[in-house]
Amino acid sequence: MTNQTLEQCRQELHDHLIDELLPFWMNRAVDRENGGFITHFDKDGNDSGEDEKSLIAQTRSIYTYASAHRAGYGNGALAEMARHGVDYLIGRMWDEEHGGFYWMTNRKGEVIIDQKIVYGQSFAIYCLSEYTLATGDSRGIEYAQRVFDLLQKYAVDTCYGGYFEMFHRNWTLKGPGAAGGDRKTLDAHMHLMEAFTTLYECSQQELHRRKLLEVITLLTERIMHPIHGTGIPQFWADWRVAPQIKFDVIWGWDRFTEDGAKREAEDNTSYGHNVEFAWLLLHALHVLGIPHSEYQEQLLKSFSHAVDFGIDWEFGGVFVEGSHAGVVYDREKEFWQQAEVLIGLLDAYRIFGDEKYGNAYENVHRFVIDKMINHPIGEWWPLMTRQGVPIWTHMSHSWKINYHTVRSVIQSIRRLDMLLSA
Amino acid sequence: MTNQTLEQCRQELHDHLIDELLPFWMNRAVDRENGGFITHFDKDGNDSGEDEKSLIAQTRSIYTYASAHRAGYGNGALAEMARHGVDYLIGRMWDEEHGGFYWMTNRKGEVIIDQKIVYGQSFAIYCLSEYTLATGDSRGIEYAQRVFDLLQKYAVDTCYGGYFEMFHRNWTLKGPGAAGGDRKTLDAHMHLMEAFTTLYECSQQELHRRKLLEVITLLTERIMHPIHGTGIPQFWADWRVAPQIKFDVIWGWDRFTEDGAKREAEDNTSYGHNVEFAWLLLHALHVLGIPHSEYQEQLLKSFSHAVDFGIDWEFGGVFVEGSHAGVVYDREKEFWQQAEVLIGLLDAYRIFGDEKYGNAYENVHRFVIDKMINHPIGEWWPLMTRQGVPIWTHMSHSWKINYHTVRSVIQSIRRLDMLLSA
């Protein structure tokens, strides 16, 4: 990419962040009546009224406001928002009896779903560690460590390694099948890597470093495809590949058939998830002080699979899913894959210097700026046709909040600045 | 075995227990000056003066006195001895700062080795759970659970499963090689199964049940030889077989060459350890309420390898070690293998009804009664020539205390009673 292109991309992202994205949230997210955040907004940015506060949406919001403050935005207002979110998270979502955070409350803070879901606990660790790094308030790291300790005690599979993911309130493991107690996923383990990275960045404890390294080895040796280096979504406890099914407790709207099955359930990978994994791994290695060259083969596989097969050179953006060998199954455009691919492609371009990554970045950047963002309102559309026509139109929901979008813009600006000053 | 033989064996064991073995310990073990137990006695049963109290010897002593009390012996005096031992263990060996028990103090209770060794922690869980079961004193299960929680947090390998075993005082993992931080052993994992069995028996907690089942799967699927079903002593972290080496911290006097290597370091198994594993597995299944038929193949392999290859039909007793295929390497007779084989062979005979196990029991029983026991003093010789002449002559040491001998006699009597009443 030329310096002119880099400058232009940076300017577009900066303007979007300052004029649209941060104001969207700063103007409407805080629930002054009940504490915590309102997280459901329609296409016009109006409160759509769903009476739920999910662990995912609350923790991701805290992460967003804390990390944006740490990155220098908001003049203190974002730190105050993060603190407001932590008050609710600790005050209303923490289980005083069994430990851990509940999965869902209503807006008033009454518990609706009391299960302990590792995916959600990982975001609690992530956001609370980021919050302490951003503000110095020690409540964050204190509760992050409590959750970490609970996961070590209750969630780890001491036979085959890795973490079980679905628990009842008292941390007994849920049953098999859709209840999820007999499976392990890429998703949860990747987000544990993300969470343990920030936990270790904050705590500097040797134990957190060790557990981060263990989950990295698990991801690269067991969870990524042995040939293609692409992410395999689901496994049995003993790491045999399991056909991908829909769980009773979900945190997204992945497309399944009516009976909860997946087309191509045993040969399915997400281009966006793979790139997200690669940049999160690079970030973890940076925090650990380990040269990325030690993981070069894995990184190149993750990045190039997405660029070689997942980029839509005709209409722009990155496709949803395809096979491990590359064939595309789902050509729609979902918001979070675009967001993660922006960060990851800049990392790939920055490290490997290959113009194919620069070109792919430009492609996705243009699709995001020109199609994915609902500029008059300020947030991104959740899902579009291949051509860029909105399919779903809500601006926010329990599973679509600001973590992917705001992080993408802040982290992409940071990487563009590195490229410009190189 | 005929009822007459069973009766005679029972009588001999009973007489040994009541007239020799329990009096040996009840008359000399309690350290009234410094607390805890004196654990070093020479061939005449006199205090041999070593200025050390090892975690192994203190915890094994507590187990012995508590379990003998629970089995109906001692008229309360053994429970009082166990309480005396728990006072010392909690008061002097517990690390108030980092948690867990130190590895070694001197007699006065000053810490000599502050490392946290999983093998020792497992005996703490075992003896403290047994102590609460025997006496109702809740301090036992309280500290057992504390140690269990620490192992889950610090010792588990969340990548490959199982437990790392060698830690510094603050629970950072020790280095590779002789420091042991890069290895996993049959020994520690088998004793964790033993400890978690009694922990679960006492606590009835679902978590303890789950972790017990996980370590059982680990033992049967990874640690036992895939063909012979025999125990493989040492592994790398990822469960590739590691050549057997001598660690810096030891809990026995296994024979190594001068440079810490082992003859046949990669094809070596202990007949006695395999039978101990099998009966401990049977006991775990009993506590879990799982039929032993589910593990029949493993059990038969463990028992029959020892009986087919390890029994000395010429001079009596069980040999020390041999190959996984069966060939004997070391024909000496060590005390603990005799002790464990007595219990296990009675279990095998009781369950499978095969006279080969009865004959092997009679053989080892006779060797123990006629050769292994130092009758005038009351305890067993630690090591004898194949023919039954003592090589080592101490009655007790940090690594040779009453746990194997007293447990063997009590558990064998219990099994002989079951056979007699069947």
Side-chain angles (χ1 to χ4, degrees), chain B residues 8 28 55 60 79 87 147 198 203 264 289 302 313 345 391:
Chain B
Q8 187 195 331
R28 49 170 72 71
L55 179 58
R60 287 178 164 185
D87 288 346
V147 175
T198 305
S203 78
E264 317 287 353
S302 302
W313 294 103
L345 289 176
I391 300 171

Side-chain angles (χ1 to χ4, degrees), chain B residues 277-296:
Chain B
F277 163 73
W279 86 254
L280 288 172
L281 173 58
L282 276 167
H283 178 57
L285 295 172
H286 176 72
V287 169
L288 288 163
I290 294 172
H292 56 73
S293 54
E294 291 186 18
Y295 292 83
Q296 177 144 329

Side-chain angles (χ1 to χ4, degrees), chain B residues 39-281:
Chain B
T39 57
H40 293 78
F41 300 103
D42 66 17
K43 68 179 169 42
D44 301 314
N46 296 318
D47 183 351
S48 52
E50 281 92 333
D51 190 18
E52 60 183 39
K53 284 178 173 155
S54 73
L55 179 58
I56 296 294
Q58 298 298 313
T59 54
R60 287 178 164 185
S61 294
I62 292 167
Y63 172 82
T64 296
Y65 308 133
S67 64
H69 173 74
R70 183 150 74 117
Y73 301 99
N75 291 314
L78 290 161
E80 182 49 35
M81 285 178 76
R83 188 201 56 69
H84 174 86
V86 168
D87 288 346
Y88 183 86
L89 185 70
I90 293 176
R92 304 309 296 260
M93 302 194 87
W94 179 259
D95 181 348
E96 289 289 348
E97 186 176 347
H98 297 285
F101 291 103
Y102 298 116
W103 181 245
M104 186 87 76
T105 66
N106 62 16
R107 288 197 180 191
K108 282 185 186 159
E110 295 158 339
V111 179
I112 300 172
I113 301 177
D114 62 10
Q115 295 174 23
K116 305 292 164 61
I117 308 300
V118 166
Y119 189 86
Q121 308 298 329
S122 81
F123 275 97
I125 293 173
Y126 187 47
C127 82
L128 288 164
S129 302
E130 181 72 27
Y131 171 71
T132 292
L133 285 166
T135 67
D137 181 347
S138 63
R139 287 184 302 161
I141 190 68
E142 179 197 326
Y143 276 83
Q145 293 195 62
R146 284 197 199 187
V147 175
F148 173 85
D149 289 357
L150 287 162
L151 294 185
Q152 301 309 312
K153 177 170 175 176
Y154 290 108
V156 170
D157 178 353
T158 63
C159 179
Y160 298 111
Y163 296 78
F164 289 112
E165 302 179 15
M166 306 287 197
F167 294 86
H168 298 289
R169 182 186 165 191
N170 67 356
W171 291 98
T172 55
L173 191 57
K174 292 177 67 177
D182 59 347
R183 313 240 173 171
K184 296 171 181 167
T185 71
L186 160 64
D187 211 13
H189 288 80
M190 187 184 86
H191 287 291
L192 285 172
M193 173 177 77
E194 174 188 56
F196 292 174
T197 298
T198 305
L199 176 66
Y200 174 61
E201 185 185 0
C202 184
S203 78
Q204 291 296 307
Q205 280 189 27
E206 193 273 348
L207 177 65
H208 299 151
R209 180 185 181 88
R210 179 149 52 94
K211 297 299 159 184
L212 171 56
L213 284 166
E214 287 173 10
V215 80
I216 287 173
T217 305
L218 199 59
L219 282 157
T220 55
E221 289 192 5
R222 292 235 196 257
I223 294 180
M224 295 297 148
H225 193 286
I227 295 161
H228 301 292
T230 42
I232 299 171
Q234 291 180 18
F235 298 83
W236 302 110
D238 64 1
W239 299 108
R240 285 174 297 124
V241 175
Q244 206 180 344
I245 60 166
K246 187 177 180 180
F247 295 122
D248 295 338
V249 171
I250 56 167
W251 45 83
W253 278 325
D254 282 351
R255 266 65 53 84
F256 286 88
T257 60
E258 286 293 318
D259 60 356
K262 188 94 184 172
R263 292 172 307 174
E264 317 287 353
E266 299 192 53
D267 179 17
N268 192 50
T269 193
S270 159
Y271 307 107
H273 220 262
N274 293 331
V275 174
E276 183 180 10
F277 163 73
W279 86 254
L280 288 172
L281 173 58

Side-chain angles (χ1 to χ4, degrees), chain A residues 149 152-154 156-164 167 171-172 206-207 210-211 214 217-218 221-222, chain B residues 149 152-154 156-164 167 171-172 206-207 210-211 214 217-218 221:
Chain A
D149 290 357
Q152 300 309 312
K153 178 170 174 176
Y154 290 108
V156 171
D157 178 353
T158 63
C159 179
Y160 297 111
Y163 296 78
F164 289 112
F167 294 86
W171 292 97
T172 56
E206 193 272 348
L207 177 65
R210 179 148 53 92
K211 297 299 158 185
E214 287 172 9
T217 306
L218 199 60
E221 290 192 4
R222 291 234 198 260
Chain B
D149 289 357
Q152 301 309 312
K153 177 170 175 176
Y154 290 108
V156 170
D157 178 353
T158 63
C159 179
Y160 298 111
Y163 296 78
F164 289 112
F167 294 86
W171 291 98
T172 55
E206 193 273 348
L207 177 65
R210 179 149 52 94
K211 297 299 159 184
E214 287 173 10
T217 305
L218 199 59
E221 289 192 5

